[in-house]
Amino acid sequence: MKASIKKAKKVLLGNRRSGYTLPTNNKLYPAQWNWDSAFIALGYSYFNLNFALGEISTLLKGQWKDGMVPHILFHNKNTNYYPNYSVWNCGNKISSSGITQPPIMTSVLKKIVEKNELNKKQKLKVIKIVKNLNKYHEWFIKFRDPKKTGLVSILHPWESGYDNSPLWDIPMSKIKVEKDLKYKRGDVKVVNPEYRPLDIDYDRYVTIKNFLKKNKYNTKKIYKASLFNVVDIGFNSIFLKANKDLLVLLKKFNLNISKIKNYIALTETKIIKLYNHKNNTFICKDLKNKKKIRIPSITNYFLLYADLKNELINKKIINSLKNYNKKEKYIFSSIKPNHKNFEEKRYWRGPVWINCNWIIYQGLKNKDKLFSEYVKQKTIQMLEKKGFHEYYSCKNGKSMGANNFSWSAALYLDLVLS
Ligand code: GLC
């Protein structure tokens, strides 16, 4: 374990640039990513609190005026990444993408604040961060749930963080690829194409992105206009938990309690309706095409992480989770292996992802001690045996995607040191 802790720190420090950290040190992701930075900050908090707070502050430097925090910040413009800064052509102060990612940062900050003594300077920094995160959450409520349903929408599969999940197959199949689309993928030159999304998926991602750009990323317009508009249970679970954690942080620092409190109550009642406890199934809503999405994705179980005040439902969900990967050597596959769209090696269509295991573990900790410990130990063992990679096969633990992957290293530190 000691050797792995050392290695994990080395991965983070090796990927660190000035004030922010790359998801990996190969050429796959040469920028700062939103939810990666949250996990990375948590990792740093075990050995350098200033690096942790700095990682978050740098991300928030790219926050848009309306409150949105982009999913990518392009600090270094000279890269082969596609779509790069010039293709997105947007950003406030720092060039960025025009979409966001799961807002898990607030929950990470709460964890960091709870386990560290802050000096005066750090406290001022944290207060500034909390205010900016509050703006970010208000942006979600205002622009991603304009009808105040209690659930927010994502407008691009990339916003979920689980880009090519089968969850998006129905809405993606309706996207007509733009005519004469010309672009060059960078990812398949760095990583085995068998592990990456298909070209047809990419054509559709780029089509959705181009449409958002054509609409000048106008937040008021795009909720209705976007080619993709989905209410995802995983994303909303993360947001609900983040809202609860934001409330605690606002109180702690005597800041004004925003509209968040009422919104939490509304989400609690609405999110539960995405779970059918008779059939033990989850749904996401494709609002654009008025269709229900039923895919057995591990991200549905993020509902446990949202800490619903409903013991009965939590228990049922945990029982269903216990059966999810019964036959697999490594947990948790991103999609249930008996599903027709499961692919052992392709990105978010089957492989095991450490951040998903970590979120599930957080959700289980206060509900089922024994099972949560099992999930934690299985994850730790896999990381110690296979190293810090982007994702792994649930069949044999084979590591895939990028190596020296920051969030796998960072979350390892949290699992073994918290
Ligand atoms: C991929 C993942 C996304 C992650 C990014 C950087 O796009 O799907 O979740 O944030 O890589 O690691």
Side-chain angles (χ1 to χ4, degrees), residues 129 163 205 352 360:
I129 292 173
D163 309 4
Y205 300 144
V352 174
I360 298 282

Side-chain angles (χ1 to χ4, degrees), residues 13 19 22 49 158 167 210-211 223 266 327 372 387 398 416:
L13 294 173
L22 304 175
L49 183 57
W158 287 339
L167 285 168
N210 287 352
F211 189 81
Y223 177 85
L266 184 61
K327 293 191 190 136
S372 76
K398 182 182 159 54
V416 295

Side-chain angles (χ1 to χ4, degrees), residues 27 29-31 74 76-82 84-85:
K27 296 200 172 95
Y29 305 120
F74 299 101
N76 172 7
K77 298 197 173 149
N78 191 15
T79 71
N80 286 331
Y81 183 76
Y82 185 88
N84 68 9
Y85 77 98

Side-chain angles (χ1 to χ4, degrees), residues 32-92:
Q32 183 179 21
W33 259 260
N34 183 328
W35 75 334
D36 295 59
S37 267
F39 301 127
I40 289 165
L42 186 59
Y44 280 137
S45 71
Y46 287 96
F47 63 102
N48 191 326
L49 183 57
N50 286 333
F51 281 8
L53 299 180
E55 183 78 30
I56 304 174
S57 299
T58 306
L59 184 78
L60 292 171
K61 274 189 198 147
Q63 182 165 32
W64 286 15
K65 284 194 186 119
D66 60 9
M68 200 266 275
V69 181
H71 98 297
I72 306 178
L73 296 185
F74 299 101
H75 298 287
N76 172 7
K77 298 197 173 149
N78 191 15
T79 71
N80 286 331
Y81 183 76
Y82 185 88
N84 68 9
Y85 77 98
S86 65
V87 177
W88 284 103
N89 192 23
C90 57
N92 175 38

Side-chain angles (χ1 to χ4, degrees), residues 23 29 33 35-36 81 101 158 161-163 196 347-348 353 355 390 405 407:
Y29 305 120
W33 259 260
W35 75 334
D36 295 59
Y81 183 76
Q101 246 189 344
W158 287 339
Y162 15 108
D163 309 4
R196 298 288 304 176
Y347 215 36
W348 291 98
W353 288 78
N355 64 338
E390 191 178 5
F405 199 68
W407 84 37

Side-chain angles (χ1 to χ4, degrees), residues 282 297-305 317 320-321 324 360:
F282 301 88
S297 164
I298 192 62
T299 57
N300 296 333
Y301 293 89
F302 290 178
L303 201 51
L304 293 167
Y305 176 68
I317 296 175
S320 150
L321 181 63
Y324 181 88
I360 298 282

